[in-house]
Each structure stands twice: as structure tokens, then as C-alpha cells.
Amino acid sequence: MTETTMSEPHLPPEISEYIVDLLRNELDTLERCCLVSRSWVPRTRKHLFADIKFLYSDDLERWKRTFPDPSRYPTHHTHTLTIGCPEVVTAADAQEGGWIRAFSNVTRLEVLSGLRDLYGSEVSLVPFHGFSPVLKSLRVASETFPCVQILNLACSFRFLEDLDLAQHMMGVGIIGRDRTVFQPSTSPVLTGTLRVYLPGRMGCVTRRLLNLPCGLHFRKLEFSCYRDDNLRWMRALVVGCSNTLECVDIECCVSIPLAQKDPWTASIDLSKAIKLKEVVFRSKTLHVNWLVLALQTITSEHRCLHHISIHVHFRPFFIDDPVNVRQTVGEEIYRQWMDLDRILVRSWESYGIRPKVVYSEAGGEKETTCIGSLLPEITERGIIELVDSVEPCWYRQIY
């Protein structure tokens, strides 16, 4: 009688890799997968180290304890790198002979710097210059880095597409003193998204971006404006990207009497951006004149534009008496809404652009009735699409 021996269970490599890939968002499970088989380790590391965050100095210390030998760093797996303590990371980089460049496959870099840097030593972004030749997305949220440093960093990545610049209000005074000359050595492609929240240095950044040797080619511009002096720079960026622009997303919370300003400076000019597919206006304080001036620049050349979204944030007094909205909001504001109503009707009839109004602060029928009274023509004709937003339309994550 022949004795039969049974082999250990075995999965084809493509099946085991498929299983590991399904668990890519389950970090605890991935760590346990490393104990299943040595053959599973390379695939699990691919997901375990895809997103690395050094938010605090403790994170860096844990990294060093886990990988005491820099030559064994699993940095080639990292695609997203977030730095919350640049002063600590750059110091470690200097001590260990430039280990930042070991993250050579990073496609997205985030540098977050808080007020703690204001009272410490000066932090340089030079060690990050060109560290990953495949970087496509850069986000810098800081009160302390001069815009020259940030833009020099951006220009060191030849294939950079997306640029996200944010500044907290508390850093306005310090950043505003930056007067360094900007002389970029290269010009990245910049064909993705430009996201800007820079209350204190919008002009500084805009001038330097517009002077890049190869120009700007962003397909999407996303702005958050809280100061009236930012409006003209926002307009300049829209004009500068007109040849490639497909989406404009603007959050405008500037309290200025537009009648006292140059209208072409106060609003934006979309007339040359004929490749536009989507326009989004997020107005916390309902600057209807601003919307009217912007929409007046849309023409028959905008053949790709089929939808305009207007996010409104209703103050309590707007919905107290939705039947008598004209008396509630006042004659001047009511007249501005009538102008907006006429422009939206014209856009639909002439260009086939359907407006969508997204309103926040759930009030159900009250808000719907109020919008219907402010925009009677497009409401009665069923042109408008009303959407109740879950979150306030004016909220944007800065950090």
C-alpha cells in the first residue's frame, strides 16, 4: 500500500497578489498578511508604504527605529509623501546624506507648515528640489515659506501638473514682506489643477506664475477669495489660462460694493476661455452683481459649456418670509437677482446652458420657495435644477 503525502496549500502568485490588492486600504490586515508568507511581503509593502506621512518628529523617529539601515528604506513604494515637520525632515536629510531623494517614485508631495515654524530656525525647501522626477502634484500649506521658495520648488519638477497653494490668515503679515526676485530655471507643464487660497500674497504668486517661460496651461482653476485685492489677480489667472481652461471653481466671500469698483476688475472675464466645460460659483454672501458680470462674458463660442452651478448660502433673514422676498431682501438686491434671472434664461435659450443652484442650511420648502421668488423665470420654466447641499457651500479644507 502506497503512502500518499499531501503538499501544503498553494495559491498561484497572481491570485495571492490579487487578494493583497483588494486589501490595499486595510493597513492592519496588510500587516498581518506579511506574516502569512514571505512571498506575500513584497506585494503588501507596495500598499503599506504607498502613502507616507511625517506629520510630527515622532513619526520620523518611528521610521528610523523601524528601518535603521537607510539602504533598506522601502521608499521606492511611496507615491504620496506628506511632510508636516519640514524643519525636522530636512535636518535628518542633511545628517544622513540626502535620504529624501530615495523617495524617487513620489507623484504627490504635500508640505504642511504651521505657526511653530515662525519662532524656530529658517526652513529651506531646497532639499526637496527635484527629488522625484515623476512628481505630478504639489501642495504647500504654510504661513512661513516665502512664495519664491514655493515656486522655485514647483519649477524643479518638470512634469508637475497640479499646484495647490494655501495660506492661513494668521500668516498674512509675515508672508506679505517677501520681495525676493524669482528667476525660474525651468517651467513645469502645469496642465492639471491650480488651487489657490492665498489671502495675503495672491498678487505675489500670480505675477510669478504668469511670468513662467512656457506660460500656464491649467485645465482647472479653483480659487477661494476673501479679500477684494485678490479679485484682479484671480481675473489675471483666468485670462492667462484661457487657451486650456475647462473648469473654473470660485468661492467668493468678499464684501465690497461692486458698483464703486471697475466691473472688469471686480469680476472675471470668461470670454476667451471657450474650452470651458464647467463653471462653479460659490458665494457665501450672495454677490449677485459679481455673478452677473461674470456670466455676461459667456458667448456663443462656449460650445462645450452646458452647466453653470451657483452655490448660495442663505442667511436666516432670507427665509423668514419667502412669500414677500422682495420686501425682505430689499429693492437693490432684488433687482440684481432679476438681472441674474434674465442672464440665466438667455444662456439657456441662446447657448443651451442649464443653471444649477445648490443651497445650504437645510430648510426644505422655505429655501426652494425663496429661490423661486428670486429667480422666477427659470424656475417657472423648469430650467433650473435645485440641489440641497449637505455641507455649507462656503466650506473648504485648507489644512
Side-chain angles (χ1 to χ4, degrees), residues 36-58:
V36 173
S37 171
R38 183 173 295 179
S39 64
W40 283 32
V41 172
R43 197 67 173 190
T44 56
R45 280 193 163 196
K46 175 184 175 181
H47 301 296
L48 278 172
F49 299 104
D51 186 354
I52 296 297
K53 293 181 174 64
F54 297 121
L55 298 179
Y56 307 101
S57 57
D58 292 346

PDB file of all heavy atoms in Angstrom, residues 36-58:
ATOM      1  N   VAL A  36       1.833  35.869   6.786  1.00  0.00           N
ATOM      2  CA  VAL A  36       1.291  34.672   6.148  1.00  0.00           C
ATOM      3  C   VAL A  36       2.369  33.923   5.389  1.00  0.00           C
ATOM      4  O   VAL A  36       2.534  32.707   5.546  1.00  0.00           O
ATOM      5  CB  VAL A  36       0.146  35.056   5.187  1.00  0.00           C
ATOM      6  CG1 VAL A  36      -0.317  33.841   4.383  1.00  0.00           C
ATOM      7  CG2 VAL A  36      -1.015  35.641   5.961  1.00  0.00           C
ATOM      8  N   SER A  37       3.109  34.654   4.582  1.00  0.00           N
ATOM      9  CA  SER A  37       4.145  34.032   3.766  1.00  0.00           C
ATOM     10  C   SER A  37       5.162  35.080   3.360  1.00  0.00           C
ATOM     11  O   SER A  37       4.805  36.242   3.123  1.00  0.00           O
ATOM     12  CB  SER A  37       3.528  33.388   2.518  1.00  0.00           C
ATOM     13  OG  SER A  37       4.528  32.971   1.623  1.00  0.00           O
ATOM     14  N   ARG A  38       6.405  34.658   3.276  1.00  0.00           N
ATOM     15  CA  ARG A  38       7.443  35.599   2.857  1.00  0.00           C
ATOM     16  C   ARG A  38       7.194  36.088   1.432  1.00  0.00           C
ATOM     17  O   ARG A  38       7.545  37.214   1.077  1.00  0.00           O
ATOM     18  CB  ARG A  38       8.806  34.915   2.945  1.00  0.00           C
ATOM     19  CG  ARG A  38       9.974  35.817   2.598  1.00  0.00           C
ATOM     20  CD  ARG A  38      11.299  35.144   2.861  1.00  0.00           C
ATOM     21  NE  ARG A  38      11.469  34.882   4.283  1.00  0.00           N
ATOM     22  CZ  ARG A  38      12.536  34.271   4.797  1.00  0.00           C
ATOM     23  NH1 ARG A  38      13.493  33.845   3.995  1.00  0.00           N
ATOM     24  NH2 ARG A  38      12.628  34.063   6.095  1.00  0.00           N
ATOM     25  N   SER A  39       6.563  35.242   0.622  1.00  0.00           N
ATOM     26  CA  SER A  39       6.295  35.628  -0.757  1.00  0.00           C
ATOM     27  C   SER A  39       5.250  36.739  -0.849  1.00  0.00           C
ATOM     28  O   SER A  39       5.112  37.383  -1.884  1.00  0.00           O
ATOM     29  CB  SER A  39       5.835  34.411  -1.563  1.00  0.00           C
ATOM     30  OG  SER A  39       4.605  33.916  -1.058  1.00  0.00           O
ATOM     31  N   TRP A  40       4.475  36.943   0.233  1.00  0.00           N
ATOM     32  CA  TRP A  40       3.461  37.988   0.240  1.00  0.00           C
ATOM     33  C   TRP A  40       4.036  39.363   0.610  1.00  0.00           C
ATOM     34  O   TRP A  40       3.396  40.381   0.393  1.00  0.00           O
ATOM     35  CB  TRP A  40       2.341  37.637   1.220  1.00  0.00           C
ATOM     36  CG  TRP A  40       1.393  36.602   0.718  1.00  0.00           C
ATOM     37  CD1 TRP A  40       1.673  35.564  -0.123  1.00  0.00           C
ATOM     38  CD2 TRP A  40       0.004  36.506   1.027  1.00  0.00           C
ATOM     39  NE1 TRP A  40       0.563  34.819  -0.352  1.00  0.00           N
ATOM     40  CE2 TRP A  40      -0.492  35.364   0.335  1.00  0.00           C
ATOM     41  CE3 TRP A  40      -0.865  37.236   1.816  1.00  0.00           C
ATOM     42  CZ2 TRP A  40      -1.818  34.964   0.419  1.00  0.00           C
ATOM     43  CZ3 TRP A  40      -2.191  36.844   1.895  1.00  0.00           C
ATOM     44  CH2 TRP A  40      -2.663  35.724   1.207  1.00  0.00           C
ATOM     45  N   VAL A  41       5.211  39.373   1.183  1.00  0.00           N
ATOM     46  CA  VAL A  41       5.768  40.616   1.723  1.00  0.00           C
ATOM     47  C   VAL A  41       5.956  41.694   0.655  1.00  0.00           C
ATOM     48  O   VAL A  41       5.543  42.845   0.852  1.00  0.00           O
ATOM     49  CB  VAL A  41       7.093  40.337   2.465  1.00  0.00           C
ATOM     50  CG1 VAL A  41       7.777  41.644   2.860  1.00  0.00           C
ATOM     51  CG2 VAL A  41       6.838  39.473   3.690  1.00  0.00           C
ATOM     52  N   PRO A  42       6.568  41.411  -0.499  1.00  0.00           N
ATOM     53  CA  PRO A  42       6.769  42.491  -1.489  1.00  0.00           C
ATOM     54  C   PRO A  42       5.469  43.157  -1.927  1.00  0.00           C
ATOM     55  O   PRO A  42       5.409  44.384  -2.067  1.00  0.00           O
ATOM     56  CB  PRO A  42       7.446  41.764  -2.654  1.00  0.00           C
ATOM     57  CG  PRO A  42       8.094  40.569  -2.044  1.00  0.00           C
ATOM     58  CD  PRO A  42       7.181  40.137  -0.939  1.00  0.00           C
ATOM     59  N   ARG A  43       4.410  42.335  -2.111  1.00  0.00           N
ATOM     60  CA  ARG A  43       3.150  42.912  -2.563  1.00  0.00           C
ATOM     61  C   ARG A  43       2.481  43.744  -1.474  1.00  0.00           C
ATOM     62  O   ARG A  43       1.889  44.797  -1.749  1.00  0.00           O
ATOM     63  CB  ARG A  43       2.193  41.801  -3.006  1.00  0.00           C
ATOM     64  CG  ARG A  43       1.035  42.285  -3.867  1.00  0.00           C
ATOM     65  CD  ARG A  43       1.531  42.780  -5.203  1.00  0.00           C
ATOM     66  NE  ARG A  43       0.438  43.106  -6.114  1.00  0.00           N
ATOM     67  CZ  ARG A  43       0.618  43.377  -7.402  1.00  0.00           C
ATOM     68  NH1 ARG A  43       1.843  43.361  -7.916  1.00  0.00           N
ATOM     69  NH2 ARG A  43      -0.409  43.661  -8.175  1.00  0.00           N
ATOM     70  N   THR A  44       2.563  43.300  -0.236  1.00  0.00           N
ATOM     71  CA  THR A  44       1.960  44.065   0.862  1.00  0.00           C
ATOM     72  C   THR A  44       2.711  45.369   1.099  1.00  0.00           C
ATOM     73  O   THR A  44       2.101  46.397   1.397  1.00  0.00           O
ATOM     74  CB  THR A  44       1.931  43.235   2.156  1.00  0.00           C
ATOM     75  OG1 THR A  44       3.249  42.794   2.479  1.00  0.00           O
ATOM     76  CG2 THR A  44       1.025  42.035   2.008  1.00  0.00           C
ATOM     77  N   ARG A  45       4.034  45.341   0.954  1.00  0.00           N
ATOM     78  CA  ARG A  45       4.816  46.570   1.119  1.00  0.00           C
ATOM     79  C   ARG A  45       4.421  47.618   0.075  1.00  0.00           C
ATOM     80  O   ARG A  45       4.465  48.821   0.350  1.00  0.00           O
ATOM     81  CB  ARG A  45       6.313  46.264   1.014  1.00  0.00           C
ATOM     82  CG  ARG A  45       6.907  45.691   2.289  1.00  0.00           C
ATOM     83  CD  ARG A  45       8.410  45.722   2.213  1.00  0.00           C
ATOM     84  NE  ARG A  45       9.012  45.560   3.525  1.00  0.00           N
ATOM     85  CZ  ARG A  45      10.282  45.860   3.797  1.00  0.00           C
ATOM     86  NH1 ARG A  45      11.067  46.320   2.840  1.00  0.00           N
ATOM     87  NH2 ARG A  45      10.768  45.692   5.016  1.00  0.00           N
ATOM     88  N   LYS A  46       4.071  47.152  -1.092  1.00  0.00           N
ATOM     89  CA  LYS A  46       3.664  48.083  -2.153  1.00  0.00           C
ATOM     90  C   LYS A  46       2.509  48.960  -1.687  1.00  0.00           C
ATOM     91  O   LYS A  46       2.432  50.144  -2.041  1.00  0.00           O
ATOM     92  CB  LYS A  46       3.264  47.283  -3.391  1.00  0.00           C
ATOM     93  CG  LYS A  46       2.702  48.134  -4.514  1.00  0.00           C
ATOM     94  CD  LYS A  46       2.234  47.273  -5.675  1.00  0.00           C
ATOM     95  CE  LYS A  46       1.567  48.128  -6.751  1.00  0.00           C
ATOM     96  NZ  LYS A  46       1.076  47.315  -7.888  1.00  0.00           N
ATOM     97  N   HIS A  47       1.610  48.414  -0.878  1.00  0.00           N
ATOM     98  CA  HIS A  47       0.460  49.176  -0.389  1.00  0.00           C
ATOM     99  C   HIS A  47       0.726  49.805   0.974  1.00  0.00           C
ATOM    100  O   HIS A  47       0.252  50.908   1.254  1.00  0.00           O
ATOM    101  CB  HIS A  47      -0.763  48.269  -0.311  1.00  0.00           C
ATOM    102  CG  HIS A  47      -1.136  47.656  -1.633  1.00  0.00           C
ATOM    103  ND1 HIS A  47      -1.555  48.412  -2.703  1.00  0.00           N
ATOM    104  CD2 HIS A  47      -1.150  46.366  -2.054  1.00  0.00           C
ATOM    105  CE1 HIS A  47      -1.812  47.618  -3.736  1.00  0.00           C
ATOM    106  NE2 HIS A  47      -1.575  46.373  -3.369  1.00  0.00           N
ATOM    107  N   LEU A  48       1.479  49.112   1.821  1.00  0.00           N
ATOM    108  CA  LEU A  48       1.763  49.635   3.164  1.00  0.00           C
ATOM    109  C   LEU A  48       2.528  50.950   3.113  1.00  0.00           C
ATOM    110  O   LEU A  48       2.315  51.844   3.939  1.00  0.00           O
ATOM    111  CB  LEU A  48       2.550  48.609   3.973  1.00  0.00           C
ATOM    112  CG  LEU A  48       1.762  47.491   4.644  1.00  0.00           C
ATOM    113  CD1 LEU A  48       2.710  46.467   5.242  1.00  0.00           C
ATOM    114  CD2 LEU A  48       0.828  48.032   5.717  1.00  0.00           C
ATOM    115  N   PHE A  49       3.413  51.094   2.138  1.00  0.00           N
ATOM    116  CA  PHE A  49       4.273  52.271   2.084  1.00  0.00           C
ATOM    117  C   PHE A  49       3.945  53.175   0.901  1.00  0.00           C
ATOM    118  O   PHE A  49       4.741  54.012   0.515  1.00  0.00           O
ATOM    119  CB  PHE A  49       5.741  51.836   2.023  1.00  0.00           C
ATOM    120  CG  PHE A  49       6.168  51.031   3.219  1.00  0.00           C
ATOM    121  CD1 PHE A  49       6.319  49.658   3.125  1.00  0.00           C
ATOM    122  CD2 PHE A  49       6.384  51.647   4.441  1.00  0.00           C
ATOM    123  CE1 PHE A  49       6.697  48.910   4.224  1.00  0.00           C
ATOM    124  CE2 PHE A  49       6.767  50.912   5.547  1.00  0.00           C
ATOM    125  CZ  PHE A  49       6.914  49.537   5.448  1.00  0.00           C
ATOM    126  N   ALA A  50       2.735  53.004   0.343  1.00  0.00           N
ATOM    127  CA  ALA A  50       2.333  53.855  -0.779  1.00  0.00           C
ATOM    128  C   ALA A  50       2.076  55.289  -0.335  1.00  0.00           C
ATOM    129  O   ALA A  50       2.285  56.233  -1.100  1.00  0.00           O
ATOM    130  CB  ALA A  50       1.089  53.279  -1.451  1.00  0.00           C
ATOM    131  N   ASP A  51       1.634  55.448   0.900  1.00  0.00           N
ATOM    132  CA  ASP A  51       1.297  56.781   1.427  1.00  0.00           C
ATOM    133  C   ASP A  51       2.027  56.963   2.757  1.00  0.00           C
ATOM    134  O   ASP A  51       1.669  56.355   3.766  1.00  0.00           O
ATOM    135  CB  ASP A  51      -0.211  56.898   1.621  1.00  0.00           C
ATOM    136  CG  ASP A  51      -0.653  58.292   2.038  1.00  0.00           C
ATOM    137  OD1 ASP A  51       0.222  59.142   2.282  1.00  0.00           O
ATOM    138  OD2 ASP A  51      -1.870  58.527   2.138  1.00  0.00           O
ATOM    139  N   ILE A  52       3.068  57.792   2.758  1.00  0.00           N
ATOM    140  CA  ILE A  52       3.896  58.005   3.954  1.00  0.00           C
ATOM    141  C   ILE A  52       3.665  59.421   4.470  1.00  0.00           C
ATOM    142  O   ILE A  52       3.688  60.385   3.708  1.00  0.00           O
ATOM    143  CB  ILE A  52       5.394  57.797   3.641  1.00  0.00           C
ATOM    144  CG1 ILE A  52       5.650  56.353   3.235  1.00  0.00           C
ATOM    145  CG2 ILE A  52       6.254  58.164   4.840  1.00  0.00           C
ATOM    146  CD1 ILE A  52       5.343  55.342   4.314  1.00  0.00           C
ATOM    147  N   LYS A  53       3.457  59.524   5.788  1.00  0.00           N
ATOM    148  CA  LYS A  53       3.229  60.825   6.428  1.00  0.00           C
ATOM    149  C   LYS A  53       4.236  61.039   7.540  1.00  0.00           C
ATOM    150  O   LYS A  53       4.334  60.229   8.466  1.00  0.00           O
ATOM    151  CB  LYS A  53       1.808  60.906   7.005  1.00  0.00           C
ATOM    152  CG  LYS A  53       0.692  60.902   5.966  1.00  0.00           C
ATOM    153  CD  LYS A  53      -0.668  61.008   6.648  1.00  0.00           C
ATOM    154  CE  LYS A  53      -1.803  61.163   5.638  1.00  0.00           C
ATOM    155  NZ  LYS A  53      -1.942  59.979   4.778  1.00  0.00           N
ATOM    156  N   PHE A  54       4.998  62.119   7.446  1.00  0.00           N
ATOM    157  CA  PHE A  54       5.856  62.582   8.536  1.00  0.00           C
ATOM    158  C   PHE A  54       5.243  63.883   9.054  1.00  0.00           C
ATOM    159  O   PHE A  54       5.705  64.979   8.738  1.00  0.00           O
ATOM    160  CB  PHE A  54       7.287  62.818   8.055  1.00  0.00           C
ATOM    161  CG  PHE A  54       7.994  61.588   7.563  1.00  0.00           C
ATOM    162  CD1 PHE A  54       8.488  61.517   6.275  1.00  0.00           C
ATOM    163  CD2 PHE A  54       8.159  60.498   8.400  1.00  0.00           C
ATOM    164  CE1 PHE A  54       9.138  60.387   5.820  1.00  0.00           C
ATOM    165  CE2 PHE A  54       8.804  59.353   7.961  1.00  0.00           C
ATOM    166  CZ  PHE A  54       9.303  59.294   6.663  1.00  0.00           C
ATOM    167  N   LEU A  55       4.174  63.744   9.831  1.00  0.00           N
ATOM    168  CA  LEU A  55       3.476  64.934  10.318  1.00  0.00           C
ATOM    169  C   LEU A  55       4.175  65.552  11.525  1.00  0.00           C
ATOM    170  O   LEU A  55       4.161  66.768  11.705  1.00  0.00           O
ATOM    171  CB  LEU A  55       2.029  64.574  10.672  1.00  0.00           C
ATOM    172  CG  LEU A  55       1.175  64.061   9.515  1.00  0.00           C
ATOM    173  CD1 LEU A  55      -0.222  63.711  10.003  1.00  0.00           C
ATOM    174  CD2 LEU A  55       1.107  65.095   8.403  1.00  0.00           C
ATOM    175  N   TYR A  56       4.786  64.700  12.357  1.00  0.00           N
ATOM    176  CA  TYR A  56       5.460  65.167  13.561  1.00  0.00           C
ATOM    177  C   TYR A  56       6.829  64.496  13.659  1.00  0.00           C
ATOM    178  O   TYR A  56       7.088  63.495  12.974  1.00  0.00           O
ATOM    179  CB  TYR A  56       4.624  64.846  14.806  1.00  0.00           C
ATOM    180  CG  TYR A  56       3.201  65.344  14.720  1.00  0.00           C
ATOM    181  CD1 TYR A  56       2.157  64.471  14.408  1.00  0.00           C
ATOM    182  CD2 TYR A  56       2.902  66.683  14.936  1.00  0.00           C
ATOM    183  CE1 TYR A  56       0.851  64.922  14.316  1.00  0.00           C
ATOM    184  CE2 TYR A  56       1.599  67.148  14.842  1.00  0.00           C
ATOM    185  CZ  TYR A  56       0.577  66.266  14.531  1.00  0.00           C
ATOM    186  OH  TYR A  56      -0.713  66.714  14.429  1.00  0.00           O
ATOM    187  N   SER A  57       7.681  65.041  14.520  1.00  0.00           N
ATOM    188  CA  SER A  57       9.018  64.466  14.681  1.00  0.00           C
ATOM    189  C   SER A  57       8.953  63.021  15.164  1.00  0.00           C
ATOM    190  O   SER A  57       9.827  62.213  14.827  1.00  0.00           O
ATOM    191  CB  SER A  57       9.833  65.316  15.657  1.00  0.00           C
ATOM    192  OG  SER A  57       9.176  65.418  16.920  1.00  0.00           O
ATOM    193  N   ASP A  58       7.913  62.673  15.933  1.00  0.00           N
ATOM    194  CA  ASP A  58       7.767  61.292  16.404  1.00  0.00           C
ATOM    195  C   ASP A  58       7.590  60.321  15.240  1.00  0.00           C
ATOM    196  O   ASP A  58       8.049  59.183  15.304  1.00  0.00           O
ATOM    197  CB  ASP A  58       6.568  61.174  17.351  1.00  0.00           C
ATOM    198  CG  ASP A  58       6.787  61.900  18.663  1.00  0.00           C
ATOM    199  OD1 ASP A  58       7.954  62.264  18.944  1.00  0.00           O
ATOM    200  OD2 ASP A  58       5.807  62.120  19.394  1.00  0.00           O
TER     201      ASP A  58
END
